[in-house]
C-alpha cells in the first residue's frame, strides 16, 4: 500500500520502516526505465548509476527488515545471495546468474535476457505453469527487495516523471528523500500523460503487487488478520514467494464474507480493510496487478479478451461481460466475482467507473453528505443512486459516466451475490427455491418470483433487499440492464416494439401493452411480471412517470429527491396520491378549502402529461392484481379465500369483484374504488380493450378517440354487445362489468354523475344499483300518474335512468331478484339458452305455464312493466329496431308496440319482427292487465260484466284470457261501452286471423286442433284457417270446452263480419257493392248480406253465397246445441240475428193475432157469462116459490 505522508509518518515507527516506504517509489522508477527505455541509448548509464547500490549485498543486508527475512531462509539461500553480491558491475544481469539460468532458458525468450525487469516479469508470470527453483525464487525476491530499499532511486523517479510531478500539485509538494513521492504518483496515475512515467509506474506496481510484503505498510496492518484467516505464510522460506498474491485474494474473500455476514466470518480490522480496498483500488486499471485474478483468468483472457488492450480497466470489464459464458473457468469466475463484490463495497476499485464519473460525483456532491459514513458513500449503490437521481432530475451526467453506470447496473442485475444484503437476507429463499440458477440474473428473477408470492412466503428483509437492488440497478430506465429480461423478450421486442429506439424506457411499456397477446412469449411474460412487480411498488422506478410527474408529486404529495424516502409518504403511497388527484375532481366530491377559487382547483389537479402517465400505469396494473401493491396488501386474505383457483390473466380482480359483498372492509374499499375508476375509464381494463378491439373499431371508435373519462365507451360497448363484431371474450368482459355495476350505483359512472344528487335526496342509504333504479323509476312513475307539476327526478337523471333500465333488461342476471327467483327454472327449462340478448327471459316467458309460482309471479310483473313501457322489452326493441324506425318514428316510446301492431300486416313488415309482435299479442291476450290500452278503455266494463271472474282469481295469478273472453261475449251482446267495444273489436279481428291470440281457445282446443286441423295449424302464416277448420268440423268436436269456444266464435262473428276473416274475404266485393252505405259494427253489414242472400234479385258472388249459407247452417246448429239461457239471452240472440227483421215481423204478426183473438174471445165469453147469470137469476125465484 502507498499511504500519504501523514499516514506513513504516523503509523510507521523506526528508521527501517520509514526507509521501506520511502524506497518503494524508487524501485518503480528504476523498473520503468529498465523495461520501457532499454532501447534508448542512455539506459546503461542510468543502470550504471544505480547498480552498485542495488547489487551491493551489504546494502541489501542492512536494508532488510528482521521480520521480513527469516534467518533460516537466508542461510538456505545464501548461495543466491552470495552470487548476487559478487556481481557489483554496472552491467550485471539476472540472466547471468546460475540460480535462474535453467528456468530462464526454459521459460523466457532470449530477447528478454538483456533486461532485468523483463526477466523478472517473465519468471513471475510463469510461476503458475511450472515450478521455479527455490534458489531462483529467493534471488528474484532479494533483487526486488533490494530495489525497494534504496533511497537513491528517488532521483531517477524525479528525472523520469519530471513533467508529471510539475503538473500534479500534490506530488510536487511532497518532500523529497522521504519516499512519499511514489505513493502520490500511484494515486494520480490516472492523470499521468507522460508515456515514460506511466510505464514506470505500471512496471513498478506489477512487481510490488506480486508480493504483499513489498507493499508499504500492508503487513503491519493485516498481519493478525492474515494469521486468523490462515491466508498464507509471511516467511519467504515457508511459501513460494510468487504465490503471495493469493494472500491478498484470501483477505479479499474474508472481507466479502464479513460483509455478507456469513456464518463464522472473521471480523477484519478497520486498518486492514482500508489496506485491502486500497490495494484493490491501485490494481484497478490493469488486471496484471491483481496477481491472483491474473493467474486465475490468464487463459480466459486469451479466450475472450485477446484483442482487448491492457490498462484503464478494459480487461476487467471484458472478463466481467463474459463471466457467465459456459467456457469461462470456474476459478476465473470466482476471482471475478470477488473483485465485483469489492467494487460493490467501494466504487473506486473500478478504475473506469471512478475515472469516468469523478467530475460528476464532485459536481453533484455525491461524496459530501456529512451524515453518511465514508464507507457508505464509497459503496457502488450510493454512487448509482446519487447519479441516477441527477439523471432523473434532468441534470447533465456525462455520457461516459452513464455508460459505466449502465455496465455496473447490469452487473448487479446479473449476479445477486454482488449485493451483500440479498446474500444475507435471502439465504433461505435461495436455498429453498433458487439454488443452481445464479447465472445471467436467473437467481434474482427467481427471488422476484418468490417476492411476488408465486412460490410461497418471503422474508420481509429479503423483500426490502430486492426492492433496494431494483432501485440501485434501475432496470426500468433501460430494459437491457436486466439481462434475463433482455434475452427472454428479445423476439417480442423485435416484432412488437421495433418502432421504439433500443434502450428507450418505453420498451417496458410496450412489452406491458403486449402482455397476454399472441406476440408475447411465456418466458418474457414471466420475467416482465417479476420485474414490474417491484417497479410498481416505487413510482420512481418508472422513469417516464417520474419525469412527467415529479413536479406534481412534489406539489401535491410532498415528495423528496429521487433517492430519498419519507416515512410520511413512502414510495408506494405516492402513486396512490397521484391517482387520487388524477381522478377526483371537485365535481366528483373532492373537497377544497372554503372559498377556494378555480385557480386553486387547478393547482390541486394533475398536469395533463402526468395524468396521461398515471392512466398508462393504471392500464398496466389492471393486467395483474399483483401489480397493484395496495390491492394485493389489503386483499391478501380474500385472494386466498375466494380466488385461489383463479390463475388466468385478469381473473383475480374479477373474482374479487364477484365476491365484493364477502370481502373484508379494507379489501372491499380498494376493490370498490378500482371498480369505480374502471367505470369512468374502462380503457384501464387493458385485457378487455384488446378483446373488444374489433367492435370498438367498428362501432365505438369515435367514442374511444374522444373519451375523456366519461364512461361513454363502456356504454357504447353495452349497446353493441350483440353486434357480429363482438367476440365471446369481449361479450363476457362487458357482461361481467355490467354484473359488477349492479352491486353499487357508484360503479356506473354516467349514472352516478347524472343521478348522484337525486339519489342523496330521494333514495338515501340505498347502495345497490338495482334498488336505486327501482327507487328512482318508482318516483318518476308516481309523479307521472299523479300529474305532478314538477318531476322530483331531474331531467338528466331521468334520461340516464332510462338507459340503465334498458341495459338491465338485456340480461336476467342484471336483475338479481328476478334471477334468484327463477334460477331453478332456468336450469330446468332454459339450460342451453345463453345469457344476454334477453334470451333467458324470453325462454321463461315462452315456458310460463311450467314455471314455479315464485318465478311465474316475477315474470308476470316484468311483462306488466314491459307492456306499459315497451322500450324496456329488450327483445322486441332489438328484433324490431328497423321496423320501429320505418313505421314508428313519430310514436312515443310507450306506444311503440301499439304502432307495430297496427303495421303488423304491412307488406314491408319484417317477418321476424312480425313474429315477435304476435308473441307480444299472445301475451297481452292472456290477461287484460298486460294490455294497458284495453285496461284503460274497459275499466268500467270489466267490473260490471266480469266481476265473478275477478273474484275467483288469486293475486299475481294470470287470468288466462278469461276476462277478455267475457268482454268478447258482451261485445256480441252489444252491451259494452264504445271505447271498450273498439278495443274488443280489434282483439276479435286479430284473434280471428290467428287462433294463438285466443288463450281460451288454445287451452280447450289444443287436442282437437291437432286431430282435426294439423295442416292449418302448421301453416307459417295464420289467416284464420284454423278457426275456419274448427267451425267446419264443429260436429266432429268431442270436447265440450272446445265446442263451446267454437260456438262462441260463431256467436261473435254474427256481431261483426270483420270477426269472420274467411267470410269477409269471400264477400268483400259484395259488401262493397251491396252494403257500401252501411257502417260496420253491430252486425249491420252481416244483416245486409243476409237480406241480399234472400233477395232473389241480388246476385252474390258464388263463394260469398256459399260461405253465407254455411254460416246460416252453423248458426242453426249453434242455436240447437246451445239454446238461450234466458229471455234476455234470447232477445239478444234475436237482435244479433241476421234475420232479425223477419223474426221480428213474425213475432209482431203473432202478437197482433193474439191480440185480436183476445178481443174476440173476450166479448164472446162475456155474453155467455151474462146469459148464464140471467138464467140462474130466473131459476132462483121459482125454486123459492116452491
Amino acid at each position: 500500500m502507498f499511504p500519504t505522508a501523514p499516514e506513513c509518518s504516523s503509523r510507521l515507527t523506526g528508521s527501517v520502516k520509514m526507509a521501506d516506504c520511502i524506497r518503494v517509489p524508487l524501485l518503480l522508477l528504476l523498473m520503468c526505465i529498465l523495461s520501457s527505455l532499454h532501447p534508448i541509448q542512455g539506459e546503461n548509464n542510468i543502470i550504471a548509476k544505480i547498480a552498485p547500490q542495488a547489487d551491493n549485498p551489504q546494502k541489501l543486508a542492512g536494508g532488510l527488515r528482521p521480520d521480513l527475512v527469516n534467518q533460516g531462509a537466508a542461510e538456505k539461500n545464501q548461495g543466491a545471495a552470495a552470487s548476487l553480491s559478487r556481481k557489483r558491475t554496472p552491467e550485471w544481469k539476472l540472466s547471468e546468474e546460475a540460480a535462474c539460468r535453467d528456468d530462464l532458458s526454459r521459460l523466457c525468450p532470449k530477447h528478454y535476457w538483456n533486461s532485468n525487469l523483463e526477466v523478472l516479469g517473465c519468471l513471475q508470470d510463469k510461476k503458475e505453469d511450472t515450478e521455479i527453483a527455490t534458489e531462483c525464487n529467493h534471488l528474484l525476491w532479494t533483487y526486488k527487495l533490494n530495489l525497494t530499499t534504496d533511497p537513491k532511486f528517488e532521483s531517477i523517479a524525479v528525472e523520469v516523471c519530471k513533467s508529471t510531478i510539475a503538473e500534479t500539485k500534490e506530488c510536487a509538494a511532497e518532500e523529497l528523500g522521504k519516499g512519499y513521492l511514489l505513493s502520490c504518483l500511484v494515486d494520480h496515475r490516472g492523470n499521468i500523460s507522460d508515456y515514460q512515467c506511466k510505464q514506470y509506474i505500471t512496471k513498478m506496481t506489477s512487481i510490488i503487487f506480486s508480493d504483499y510484503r513489498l507493499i508499504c505498510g500492508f503487513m503491519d496492518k493485516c498481519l493478525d488478520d492474515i494469521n486468523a484467516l490462515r491466508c498464507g505464510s509471511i516467511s519467504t522460506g515457508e511459501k513460494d514467494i510468487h504465490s503471495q498474491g493469493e494472500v491478498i485474494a484470501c483477505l479479499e474473500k474474508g472481507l466479502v464474507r464479513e460483509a455478507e455476514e456469513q456464518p463464522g466470518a472473521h471480523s477484519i480490522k478497520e486498518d486492514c480493510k482500508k489496506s485491502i480496498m486500497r490495494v484493490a483500488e491501485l490494481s484497478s486499471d490493469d488486471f496484471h496487478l491483481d496477481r491472483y485474478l491474473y493467474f486465475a483468468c490468464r487463459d480466459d483472457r486469451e479466450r475472450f479478451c485477446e484483442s482487448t488492450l491492457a490498462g484503464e480497466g478494459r480487461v476487467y470489464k471484458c472478463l466481467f461481460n463474459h463471466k457467465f459464458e459456459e467456457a469461462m473457468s470456474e476459478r476465473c469466475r470466482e476471482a471475478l466475482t470477488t473483485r465485483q463484490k469489492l467494487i460493490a463495497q467501494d466504487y473506486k476499485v473500478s478504475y473506469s467507473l471512478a475515472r469516468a464519473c469523478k467530475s460528476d460525483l464532485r459536481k453533484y456532491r455525491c461524496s459530501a453528505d456529512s451524515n453518511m459514513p465514508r464507507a457508505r458513500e464509497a459503496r457502488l449503490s450510493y454512487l448509482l443512486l446519487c447519479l441516477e437521481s441527477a439523471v432523473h432530475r434532468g441534470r447533465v451526467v456525462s455520457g461516459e459516466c452513464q455508460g459505466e453506470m449502465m455496465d455496473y447496473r447490469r452487473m448487479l442485475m446479473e449476479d445477486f451475490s454482488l449485493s451483500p444484503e440479498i446474500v444475507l437476507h435471502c439465504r433461505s429463499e435461495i436455498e429453498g427455491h433458487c439454488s443452481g440458477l445464479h447465472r445471467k440474473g436467473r437467481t434474482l428473477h427467481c427471488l422476484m418470483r418468490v417476492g411476488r408470492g408465486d412460490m410461497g412466503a418471503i422474508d420481509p428483509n429479503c423483500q426490502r433487499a430486492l426492492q433496494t437492488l431494483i432501485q440501485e440497478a434501475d432496470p426500468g430506465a433501460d430494459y437491457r440492464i436486466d439481462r434475463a429480461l433482455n434475452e427472454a423478450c428479445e423476439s417480442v421486442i423485435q416484432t412488437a416494439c421495433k418502432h421504439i429506439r433500443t434502450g428507450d424506457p418505453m420498451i417496458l411499456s410496450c412489452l406491458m401493452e403486449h402482455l397476454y397477446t399472441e406476440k408475447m412469449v411465456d418466458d418474457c411474460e414471466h420475467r416482465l411480471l417479476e420485474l414490474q412487480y417491484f417497479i410498481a411498488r416505487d413510482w420512481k422506478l418508472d422513469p417516464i412517470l417520474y419525469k412527467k410527474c415529479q413536479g406534481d408529486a412534489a406539489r401535491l404529495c410532498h415528495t423528496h429527491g429521487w433517492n430519498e424516502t419519507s416515512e410520511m409518504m413512502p414510495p408506494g403511497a405516492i402513486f396512490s396520491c397521484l391517482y387520487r388527484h388524477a381522478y377526483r375532481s371537485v365535481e366528483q366530491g373532492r373537497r377544497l378549502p372554503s372559498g377556494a377559487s378555480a385557480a386553486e382547483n387547478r393547482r390541486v389537479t394533475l398536469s395533463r402529461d402526468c395524468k396521461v402517465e398515471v392512466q398508462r400505469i393504471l392500464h398496466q396494473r389492471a393486467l395483474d392484481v399483483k401489480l397493484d401493491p395496495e390491492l394485493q396488501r389489503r386483499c391478501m386474505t380474500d385472494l386466498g379465500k375466494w380466488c385461489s383457483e383463479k390463475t388466468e390473466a385478469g381473473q383475480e380482480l374479477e373474482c374479487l369483484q364477484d365476491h365484493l359483498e364477502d370481502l373484508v372492509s379494507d379489501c372491499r374499499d380498494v376493490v370498490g374504488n378500482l371498480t369505480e375508476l374502471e367505470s369512468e375509464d374502462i380503457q384501464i381494463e387493458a385485457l378487455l380493450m384488446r378483446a373488444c378491439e374489433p367492435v370498438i373499431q367498428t362501432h365505438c371508435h369515435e367514442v374511444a378517440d374522444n373519451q375523456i373519462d366519461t364512461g361513454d365507451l363502456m356504454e357504447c360497448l353495452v349497446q353493441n354487445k350483440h353486434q357480429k363484431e363482438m367476440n365471446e371474450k369481449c361479450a363476457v368482459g362487458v357482461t361481467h362489468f355490467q354484473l359488477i355495476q349492479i352491486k353499487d350505483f357508484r360503479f356506473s359512472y354516467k349514472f352516478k354523475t347524472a343521478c348522484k344528487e337525486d339519489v342523496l335526496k330521494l333514495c338515501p342509504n340505498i347502495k345497490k344499483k338495482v334498488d336505486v333504479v327501482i327507487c328512482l323509476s318508482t318516483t318518476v312513475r308516481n309523479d307521472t300518474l299523479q300529474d305532478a307539476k314538477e318531476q322530483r327526478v331531474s331531467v338528466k337523471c331521468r334520461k340516464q335512468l332510462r338507459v340503465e333500465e334498458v341495459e338491465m333488461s338485456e340480461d336476467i342476471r342484471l336483475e338479481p331478484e328476478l334471477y334468484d327467483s327463477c334460477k331453478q327454472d332456468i336450469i330446468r327449462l332454459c339450460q342451453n339458452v345463453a345469457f344476454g340478448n334477453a334470451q333467458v327471459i324470453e325462454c321463461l316467458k315462452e315456458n310460463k305455464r311450467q314455471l314455479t309460482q315464485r318465478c311465474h309471479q316475477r315474470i308476470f310483473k316484468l311483462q306488466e312493466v314491459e307492456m306499459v313501457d315497451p322500450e324496456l322489452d329488450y327483445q322486441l326493441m332489438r328484433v324490431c329496431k328497423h321496423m320501429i324506425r320505418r313505421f314508428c318514428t313519430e310514436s312515443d316510446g310507450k306506444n311503440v308496440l301499439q304502432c307495430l301492431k297496427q303495421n303488423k300486416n304491412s307488406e314491408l313488415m319484417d317477418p321476424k319482427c312480425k313474429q315477435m309482435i304476435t308473441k307480444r299479442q299472445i301475451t297481452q291476450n292472456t290477461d287484460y292487465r298486460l294490455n294497458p290500452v284495453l285496461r284503460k278503455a274497459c275499466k268500467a266494463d270489466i267490473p260490471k260484466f266480469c266481476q265473478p271472474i275477478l273474484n275467483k282469481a288469486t293475486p299475481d295469478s294470470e287470468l288466462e284470457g278469461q276476462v277478455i273472453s267475457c268482454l268478447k261475449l258482451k261485445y256480441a251482446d252489444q252491451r259494452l261501452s264504445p271505447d271498450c267495444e273498439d278495443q274488443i273489436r280489434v282483439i276479435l279481428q286479430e284473434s280471428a286471423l290467428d287462433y294463438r291470440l285466443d288463450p281460451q281457445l288454445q287451452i280447450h282446443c289444443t287436442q282437437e286442433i291437432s286431430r282435426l286441423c294439423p295442416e292449418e295449424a302448421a301453416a307459417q302464416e295464420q289467416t284464420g284457417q284454423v278457426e275456419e277448420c274448427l267451425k267446419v268440423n264443429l260436429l266432429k268436436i268431442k270436447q265440450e270446452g272446445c265446442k263451446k269456444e267454437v260456438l262462441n266464435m260463431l256467436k261473435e262473428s254474427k256481431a261483426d263480419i270483420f270477426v269472420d276473416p274467411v267470410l269477409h274475404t269471400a264477400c268483400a266485393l259484395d259488401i262493397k257493392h251491396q252494403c257500401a252505405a252501411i257502417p260496420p259494427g253491430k252486425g249491420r253489414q252481416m244483416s245486409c248480406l243476409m237480406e241480399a242472400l234472400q233477395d232473389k234479385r241480388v246476385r252474390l258472388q258464388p263463394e260469398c253465397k256459399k260461405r253465407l249459407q254455411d254460416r246460416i247452417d252453423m248458426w242453426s246448429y249453434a242455436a240447437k246445441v246451445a239454446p238461450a239461457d234466458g229471455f234476455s239471452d234470447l232477445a239478444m240472440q234475436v237482435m244479433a240475428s241476421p234475420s232479425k227483421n223477419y223474426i221480428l215481423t213474425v213475432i209482431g204478426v203473432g202478437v197482433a193475432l193474439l191480440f185480436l183473438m183476445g178481443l174476440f174471445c173476450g166479448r164472446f165469453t162475456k155474453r155467455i157469462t151474462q146469459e148464464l147469470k140471467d138464467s140462474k137469476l130466473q131459476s132462483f125465484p121459482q125454486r123459492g116459490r116452491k
Side-chain angles (χ1 to χ4, degrees), residues 647-664:
T647 58
E648 296 295 325
Q651 284 188 345
E652 288 178 310
L653 179 57
E654 291 183 1
C655 171
L656 290 173
Q657 290 172 330
D658 289 340
H659 292 87
L660 188 65
E661 297 87 351
D662 304 318
L663 305 179
V664 297

Side-chain angles (χ1 to χ4, degrees), residues 199-240:
Q199 289 296 315
Y200 159 59
I201 295 294
T202 302
K203 283 291 182 182
M204 199 62 206
T205 50
S206 67
I207 293 173
I208 294 299
F209 280 89
S210 69
D211 194 326
Y212 73 95
R213 292 170 296 181
L214 298 177
I215 301 173
C216 177
F218 186 86
M219 195 182 73
D220 291 330
K221 298 172 183 177
C222 294
L223 179 60
D224 294 339
D225 297 298
I226 292 172
N227 289 329
L229 293 168
R230 299 179 182 178
C231 287
S233 170
I234 60 171
S235 175
T236 60
E238 298 176 5
K239 189 173 179 70
D240 179 2

